[in-house]
Amino acid sequence: MIGNQNKSLSARSEQVSLAGAVASTYSCANCCPSSRIYDSVNPLFATTPPGQNMQYYTIGVITDCMGNGTPIQGGAAWSSLSPPIATVNSGGLAEGVSPGSTSITGDWGNFSWFDAGQQCWYNEYPGQGGGDIEVVGVQKIQYQGPNNPSFSDATSTLYILKGTAVTFKAIPNPSTGTFPSGQPVWSGTSGATGTGATTSVTFNTVSSSTSNYKTVVATAGNSSVTVNVVVYDLEKVIAPVETWTGRATTTFGLRELVNLFTTITPSGVTSTQAGGLVWIRASGTGTVVSSEINDGTGTFTAPASPGNTTLKLNVVAGPSKDKNITQDVTTIKPSGTNFALSTGRRHTQGRVSAGFKAIVYLEPKTVSFKNITITEGACDATTSGYLAGLGTPHAAGTPNQILLCNGSTGCRGQNEDTVYLFHPTNPSPTPYGTGSWTWPIPWYYDNPGGDPVPWFTVNQVLTTDDSGNATISRVEFP
């Protein structure tokens, strides 16, 4: 410090110059020269990314002898309290080196003139000031999917279902810091763009392999963090247990069992990496049981009644949590039967009678009814003519299990259907005559836990003529 060093000036001129600022020339006999006082550093606080610069300078005022002040800025002898965080050159240009906080300080000289009875006195003294600088880089990137309650750290490769919109957030380093305006800058092969703490990306392009990353990059100065993303797609596989050429793949018979799978593109992405995959029933009826290990497999048991069901393959966790693909399926009841003669005709000699045995096939032939049974119900007989008053009621039958199915015949009943009616007297009395015996037999399919479900009516009819001929038939009615 050139402290209190006073200089007496007589009738002569003095020109003062410092840091490029030149004061006016005055005659000491009339007015003292201007004073120059620097009092602070600008900026007082600044943030910058690593590798970028911030200009520092001193600010003050030049005051003439009339008290008129003019703002000025100038230089100083600059230094950094912590060069590993930020450095500064002789021109006051500071550069962020690594994340953290420090101060940039400057030392300068001030001088002032004052009039003391026709004499100008000069005082020179040092000044010092500083400004804090925070160097802010990118510490990490977090993500939040559309159904995530909060942000999570992206600590490894992210696996994101095609079509998912994900928000990414850059976390500053130090974590208490604040990014400068326009920082960080977002980029990457994912299409991430923009500046600021967050950006959103919708991933619409599936990765061609498990190493074909769609990157998300946050850059602040020379500090950069990259997140690798594998974009995958799901394909549902609906596979009925009973299968044959020509069978339906999204329409099923009552209580039919269906296996559920999924394939993931690109090959090599596991269900665990995808976040876990479960099958659930989104709407309708039927039962879905998904694998306990969330591997995208499960089973669907079609309901015992016709209806529509929506199955959903759901992502359990991760950026694509609760994103899904769906499949609509339909459950149908048997639409009818097809009787195929098995052991030919039956007749008892001397008795008016007729009959046959038949295999019962269910329609349609495109689905399986293997998991249901069919049953004949009881009914009264209606008789006329030669057979009037002779008919007995039809007794309820036992459940008939359904066996193997194929596309040629459909699903068949395990027990053959015995179709046989006869005059109760043997030999049958003469003269013969025309008559009929009709059983309107109700058919049911099973309804576990409830009453059998009415299906349709089969009219079993025996007719006779004047020659004693008997004819029997079965006709299905809706």
Side-chain angles (χ1 to χ4, degrees):
M1 167 178 168
I2 308 175
N4 299 319
Q5 182 179 358
N6 297 327
K7 298 180 180 179
S8 176
L9 299 180
S10 57
R12 64 185 180 86
S13 297
E14 183 77 10
Q15 187 179 52
V16 181
S17 175
L18 184 62
V22 179
S24 300
T25 300
Y26 298 96
S27 171
C28 284
N30 298 314
C31 186
C32 293
S34 296
S35 299
R36 187 199 65 191
I37 307 296
Y38 291 101
D39 59 9
S40 64
V41 168
N42 191 60
L44 293 176
F45 177 79
T47 60
T48 186
Q52 290 194 5
N53 300 324
M54 177 61 63
Q55 180 66 54
Y56 281 81
Y57 54 90
T58 54
I59 57 175
V61 64
I62 288 181
T63 306
D64 63 22
C65 62
M66 304 298 294
N68 299 312
T70 301
I72 58 171
Q73 66 182 46
W78 299 100
S79 64
S80 170
L81 292 184
S82 179
I85 295 176
T87 60
V88 63
N89 65 16
S90 60
L93 189 65
E95 180 180 0
V97 177
S98 62
S101 297
T102 189
S103 293
I104 302 298
T105 62
D107 292 280
W108 60 85
N110 291 325
F111 60 86
S112 60
W113 292 90
F114 58 95
D115 187 356
Q118 297 297 312
Q119 289 186 331
C120 287
W121 292 87
Y122 174 83
N123 188 31
E124 187 177 272
Y125 57 91
Q128 187 181 63
D132 292 331
I133 184 169
E134 185 174 54
V135 181
V136 181
V138 180
Q139 177 188 152
K140 60 186 176 182
I141 294 177
Q142 296 182 330
Y143 70 87
Q144 184 179 34
N147 299 308
N148 296 138
S150 59
F151 282 93
S152 300
D153 291 347
T155 56
S156 59
T157 299
L158 297 181
Y159 293 83
I160 298 177
L161 178 63
K162 177 184 176 183
T164 304
V166 179
T167 299
F168 294 90
K169 180 169 69 174
I171 303 301
N173 184 15
S175 57
T176 56
T178 301
F179 287 115
S181 177
Q183 299 291 332
V185 177
W186 294 93
S187 61
T189 58
S190 65
T193 59
T195 61
T198 62
T199 190
S200 293
V201 181
T202 300
F203 294 87
N204 290 321
T205 303
V206 176
S207 298
S208 59
S209 69
T210 54
S211 59
N212 177 221
Y213 301 127
K214 310 303 179 183
T215 58
V216 178
V217 183
T219 303
N222 60 19
S223 171
S224 180
V225 173
T226 298
V227 173
N228 292 328
V229 175
V230 173
V231 183
Y232 67 90
D233 202 3
L234 298 175
E235 182 178 351
K236 49 194 178 288
V237 180
I238 313 295
V241 172
E242 297 293 324
T243 185
W244 57 87
T245 301
R247 75 143 295 149
T249 56
T250 58
T251 300
F252 310 116
L254 301 173
R255 299 177 63 197
E256 186 171 359
L257 186 63
V258 182
N259 287 323
L260 306 174
F261 303 97
T262 185
T263 58
I264 306 177
T265 305
S267 175
V269 176
T270 68
S271 56
T272 300
Q273 291 170 329
L277 303 171
V278 296
W279 283 97
I280 60 177
R281 189 187 75 227
S283 66
T285 54
T287 302
V288 174
V289 177
S290 194
S291 168
E292 293 182 356
I293 60 174
N294 298 341
D295 63 353
T297 64
T299 58
F300 169 65
T301 302
S305 301
N308 297 315
T309 305
T310 298
L311 304 176
K312 181 162 66 175
L313 179 60
N314 200 59
V315 180
V316 176
S320 299
K321 179 180 183 294
D322 289 336
K323 298 289 286 184
N324 57 76
I325 57 175
T326 61
Q327 176 65 59
D328 294 328
V329 298
T330 301
T331 301
I332 61 174
K333 66 180 182 179
S335 60
T337 58
N338 179 27
F339 291 94
L341 190 66
S342 64
T343 56
R345 299 174 181 85
R346 178 183 176 187
H347 170 65
T348 300
Q349 190 171 1
R351 173 178 285 188
V352 176
S353 61
F356 60 88
K357 282 191 174 183
I359 301 172
V360 179
Y361 294 100
L362 302 187
E363 299 281 355
K365 303 173 184 178
T366 55
V367 300
S368 172
F369 295 106
K370 187 177 179 181
N371 293 324
I372 68 170
T373 60
I374 55 176
T375 308
E376 289 186 344
C379 66
D380 292 329
T382 301
T383 57
S384 66
Y386 182 70
L387 298 173
L390 300 178
T392 58
H394 179 273
T398 57
N400 190 4
Q401 184 65 51
I402 305 302
L403 297 179
L404 298 177
C405 309
N406 64 66
S408 299
T409 61
C411 301
R412 64 160 290 173
Q414 180 177 17
N415 302 322
E416 293 185 349
D417 190 19
T418 299
V419 181
Y420 182 62
L421 286 176
F422 52 87
H423 192 285
T425 303
N426 186 16
S428 297
T430 57
Y432 304 115
T434 60
S436 67
W437 178 347
T438 301
W439 274 341
I441 306 171
W443 279 44
Y444 303 89
Y445 59 83
D446 65 344
N447 178 23
D451 296 330
V453 179
W455 182 10
F456 54 79
T457 298
V458 173
N459 281 345
Q460 181 170 313
V461 181
L462 177 70
T463 59
T464 61
D465 62 18
D466 292 342
S467 300
N469 297 317
T471 303
I472 195 166
S473 64
R474 273 203 167 190
V475 180
E476 174 188 316
F477 292 91

